[in-house]
Amino acid sequence: MSGPVEIILIIGAVGYILARRLLGEPAEAKRMLLLPAVLAVVGLTDLAKVSQSTVSIGFLVATTALSLVLGLLRGASIRVFDRDGIVYLRYTVTTVVLWGINLAVRFGASVVLGVVDPTAAHAGSSGLMLTLGAGMVVEGLAVLSKAMRTGGRIVWAKGRDGAPHTMSSLLDGLQQKVQSTDWSQGRRPRRRGGLGSLIEDVRDLDIRRPYDTGSAPNDTGSAPYDADSAPYDGRRPNGGGSPDDRARSFDRHRRER
């Protein structure tokens, strides 16, 4: 495949991914990990067919490392949430900006490589599949790390035309293990936002009244407060005592005036 055609196809594929994930879609492990890994392997195979100069190897190492870092940042910026028991992901504005930076730097570096070493210009186009694939694998791993801590299940492959999603027992087991570890370390799994979060907070509250145990909140061991036995400290229209006691107290104060 020629360089320009390959670049156009890759840009089109990235645009398709951006459009889908900006709207939100199930977090498919197959799409996030397996397909980018295949893309990276194909790019690496293409590079192995041609001898590389020292300059081109340094270029590939630098751009691949940059793609890995940007992929990790993209994964951290992606919103992960639970919908109907399934983990979903959605790109944010930050994710789109990071994608733009990744592509701009990658194409800009290819131009610089062609100027510095014209004989290594082929590494610019051939290495594009390798660097983007590697960055997308890291992005997928970062998203899966967050998805493991949600209340929903992670889909291996999305069902087509209304068919049920394909699940993975391996992913389910990993998710249970991660959440068990988080609970043992005092970290609760991520929850859905909005009303669902509020409902969980209310459900976890201790709604007992402060004096249900017969002692003050600081539990000093003193007897509970009793308004009927408390010393009289002035006029208490709604104070303790029997109705007769309150009536006599009222008459006494009226005579004193």
Side-chain angles (χ1 to χ4, degrees):
M1 184 183 299
S2 62
V5 175
E6 178 181 328
I7 292 174
I8 291 173
L9 290 178
I10 290 176
I11 292 177
V14 171
Y16 175 74
I17 292 173
L18 288 174
R20 286 177 57 94
R21 295 185 177 177
L22 278 171
L23 298 175
E25 65 176 2
E28 295 181 69
K30 180 179 180 180
R31 186 184 294 271
M32 291 189 296
L33 297 180
L34 186 58
L35 297 182
V38 171
L39 182 66
V41 170
V42 171
L44 184 61
T45 302
D46 289 343
L47 289 172
K49 294 177 182 178
V50 182
S51 60
Q52 303 293 330
S53 65
T54 303
V55 175
S56 63
I57 292 176
F59 166 82
L60 288 172
V61 171
T63 53
T64 302
L66 179 61
S67 292
L68 293 177
V69 173
L70 291 173
L72 182 61
L73 294 176
R74 288 198 307 269
S77 70
I78 294 172
R79 183 188 170 209
V80 176
F81 56 97
D82 172 14
R83 178 187 294 173
D84 299 328
I86 299 297
V87 181
Y88 275 67
L89 64 85
R90 179 176 294 150
Y91 274 6
T92 63
V93 175
T94 303
T95 314
V96 177
V97 171
L98 289 170
W99 261 117
I101 294 174
N102 199 163
L103 293 175
V105 171
R106 186 61 182 76
F107 290 136
S110 297
V111 173
V112 172
L113 177 64
V115 173
V116 174
D117 187 1
T119 61
H122 63 277
S125 59
S126 299
L128 181 60
M129 296 179 64
L130 170 63
T131 56
L132 290 183
M136 292 178 68
V137 168
V138 174
E139 174 189 316
L141 289 173
V143 172
L144 282 180
S145 176
K146 296 195 293 184
M148 292 284 181
R149 293 169 169 83
T150 64
R153 297 182 66 189
I154 302 171
V155 173
W156 170 250
K158 181 181 177 181
R160 301 293 185 262
D161 299 326
H165 301 317
T166 302
M167 314 305 288
S168 169
S169 57
L170 175 61
L171 289 174
D172 290 341
L174 288 174
Q175 187 173 19
Q176 292 176 2
K177 185 176 181 180
V178 169
Q179 293 187 2
S180 304
T181 303
D182 286 349
W183 276 106
S184 65
Q185 295 178 355
R187 298 195 302 267
R188 295 189 58 182
R190 294 177 181 267
R191 307 165 303 167
R192 67 184 69 185
L195 181 61
S197 176
L198 178 61
I199 291 174
E200 287 192 23
D201 289 337
V202 172
R203 187 176 56 195
D204 292 340
L205 287 176
D206 183 358
I207 60 174
R208 292 177 302 173
R209 290 177 298 176
Y211 299 110
D212 281 351
T213 58
S215 62
N218 58 5
D219 198 14
T220 58
S222 59
Y225 174 79
D226 186 357
D228 293 341
S229 61
Y232 178 75
D233 56 354
R235 191 179 302 176
R236 295 197 303 269
N238 296 320
S242 65
D244 292 340
D245 291 337
R246 290 195 293 269
R248 286 193 296 269
S249 176
F250 179 77
D251 290 339
R252 184 172 63 253
H253 283 284
R254 185 175 59 181
R255 288 194 301 268
E256 290 176 355
R257 290 201 304 269

